[in-house]
Amino acid sequence: MAVHNAKLGRSSVITKSPVVADPPRLIGLSTAQCASLDLRAEDLELLHYYTNAVSLTLSERPEIQRIWQITNPKEAVSHSALMQGLLAVSALHLHHSSDASQNRRKYVALVHFDHTLTSLRQLIGNTTPEHFDILIALSMLVAIFAFALTQPTKAATEVLINHISETSKLKRGVYAFLGYARQWILQGRVFSASASLSEDVNTALKRLELWNDISSDSESTKAVYASAIQNLRANFLAVDSIPDDPGLRHLWLVTVEPEYMRLLESQESMALSILAHYAVILHSEREKWWSKDWGYQLVATVYRLLDARWHHLIGWAMQQVGMVDTLCLEQ
């Protein structure tokens, strides 16, 4: 099926789409409800593209695809932050999918993301437990947008490690939101998985915990690292429990404490080592359009930044992303 976007550029070929209805009809909106959305024609085209294409890339499970394709757009009718987030990711997917009008599509994506952050601040001011599902969806959209916005190169990964994004809005908004939302996420059902960690993952995380325990850092810093490792363990459990749901791979970014991000920005060795282990989770979704080579590039960047005395601590992560084989070939 081909959808022509007059303002967005050339026709885009959309595959694997079982639904061809317009988004309002697809999610059950009346004509009056549609008018109340106050969306421009370009926005409706983006919503159409989201429901028919982008939503299907956000999970491999049909029941979760249905949530992204139908339930979340319905919720977005009354939550502008979610609507703007869906439109932002849709525009960015178009940016990645075609060579035509790339700068235009990226600009449209950034504008919608800016609106997402503005609406998000309003939502945060009135947040209740009933908003949990909205915050979960937004946290995943924010993470996907952050990774998809910048291509995984050596320079880009060092920017990520230093807590910086392409725009100051993205930098302030992403981490401010994650800091506000983390308490709601931690109270949810996402980390209640009963699956057990594989032996190699468990061994790698225990090695991190042991190294943290015997380090010379202050007790408060050790506590921050311990929390980051604990949340990383929970993220591995969630991914192992539901391996075909890409959204779960970004939850560590939502639950990690702001103080850890400050330590990471300062390129502290323990913070970098923990990040290298999270990169293994990102590497597992390298076929996704927003992730690509982020996992490998993050581990490679951590390796370059760490003193050689720390390399043993990220040895498992290096093996998991194939970096050990690469180094052997280079030597």
Side-chain angles (χ1 to χ4, degrees):
M1 180 184 68
V3 177
H4 180 70
N5 297 317
K7 293 185 178 181
L8 292 177
R10 69 181 186 183
S11 296
S12 301
V13 177
I14 301 175
T15 60
K16 191 184 175 184
S17 177
V19 182
V20 296
D22 289 336
R25 185 174 300 176
L26 171 63
I27 62 178
L29 297 183
S30 66
T31 302
Q33 286 174 312
C34 235
S36 69
L37 290 178
D38 193 27
L39 296 177
R40 301 173 303 163
E42 183 177 35
D43 297 336
L44 291 174
E45 290 169 352
L46 284 174
L47 186 58
H48 185 283
Y49 183 72
Y50 168 82
T51 56
N52 283 282
V54 182
S55 63
L56 301 177
T57 71
L58 303 182
S59 177
E60 302 298 327
R61 300 177 64 192
E63 64 271 28
I64 297 180
Q65 285 181 339
R66 183 173 178 82
I67 290 174
W68 282 111
Q69 187 182 41
I70 299 177
T71 305
N72 284 338
K74 276 186 176 180
E75 292 289 341
V77 173
S78 54
H79 295 282
S80 59
L82 182 56
M83 177 63 76
Q84 292 296 329
L86 298 180
L87 296 177
V89 169
S90 181
L92 199 55
H93 187 277
L94 277 169
H95 167 67
H96 280 270
S97 301
S98 174
D99 292 333
S101 305
Q102 284 196 2
N103 289 336
R104 163 65 178 165
R105 289 166 180 171
K106 188 173 184 179
Y107 169 77
V108 170
L110 286 168
V111 169
H112 281 297
F113 192 74
D114 180 70
H115 291 322
T116 301
L117 300 180
T118 299
S119 300
L120 191 52
R121 283 189 286 270
Q122 299 172 359
L123 175 62
I124 289 171
N126 299 283
T127 296
T128 67
E130 286 71 31
H131 291 127
F132 173 77
D133 290 336
I134 300 298
L135 289 175
I136 281 287
L138 279 167
S139 69
M140 295 179 183
L141 290 173
V142 165
I144 287 171
F145 191 94
F147 283 110
L149 183 63
T150 306
Q151 293 301 305
T153 63
K154 174 181 176 181
T157 50
E158 290 182 355
V159 165
L160 181 66
I161 287 175
N162 280 285
H163 212 236
I164 301 172
S165 301
E166 278 197 350
T167 67
S168 60
K169 278 284 186 180
L170 185 57
K171 176 186 175 182
R172 292 195 302 269
V174 169
Y175 292 103
F177 163 60
L178 298 183
Y180 279 115
R182 66 181 302 275
Q183 294 303 324
W184 298 108
I185 305 301
L186 288 171
Q187 293 174 18
R189 303 179 299 275
V190 177
F191 285 161
S192 61
S194 59
S196 59
L197 288 176
S198 63
E199 184 177 350
D200 65 323
V201 173
N202 192 47
T203 299
L205 295 181
K206 282 184 176 294
R207 186 181 298 114
L208 279 176
E209 291 171 335
L210 177 60
W211 199 254
N212 182 43
D213 288 340
I214 65 175
S215 74
S216 59
D217 290 320
S218 67
E219 291 303 315
S220 60
T221 298
K222 287 182 180 181
V224 171
Y225 289 144
S227 174
I229 297 170
Q230 179 183 6
N231 289 333
L232 184 55
R233 183 183 297 275
N235 204 162
F236 272 109
L237 280 170
V239 171
D240 287 347
S241 177
I242 313 177
D244 51 359
D245 184 3
L248 293 180
R249 288 166 170 79
H250 301 141
L251 291 176
W252 182 75
L253 292 174
V254 179
T255 58
V256 73
E257 296 179 17
E259 177 61 16
Y260 168 82
M261 285 296 184
R262 188 193 67 76
L263 294 165
L264 184 62
E265 185 177 11
S266 299
Q267 299 184 2
E268 296 295 334
S269 296
M270 192 65 198
L272 289 169
S273 299
I274 295 172
L275 178 67
H277 286 69
Y278 171 67
V280 174
I281 294 179
L282 288 182
H283 187 69
S284 68
E285 64 169 8
R286 56 191 176 280
E287 301 301 323
K288 295 298 181 180
W289 62 272
W290 61 82
S291 190
K292 296 186 179 179
D293 208 26
W294 269 112
Y296 178 91
Q297 293 291 352
L298 277 175
V299 175
T301 301
V302 168
Y303 178 84
R304 290 191 296 268
L305 293 175
L306 283 177
D307 184 276
R309 293 171 297 176
W310 285 79
H311 286 169
H312 72 94
L313 195 57
I314 65 168
W316 175 79
M318 293 168 61
Q319 290 178 337
Q320 293 301 305
V321 303
M323 186 179 166
V324 171
D325 295 336
T326 302
L327 289 175
C328 289
L329 290 174
E330 291 176 351
Q331 290 177 353

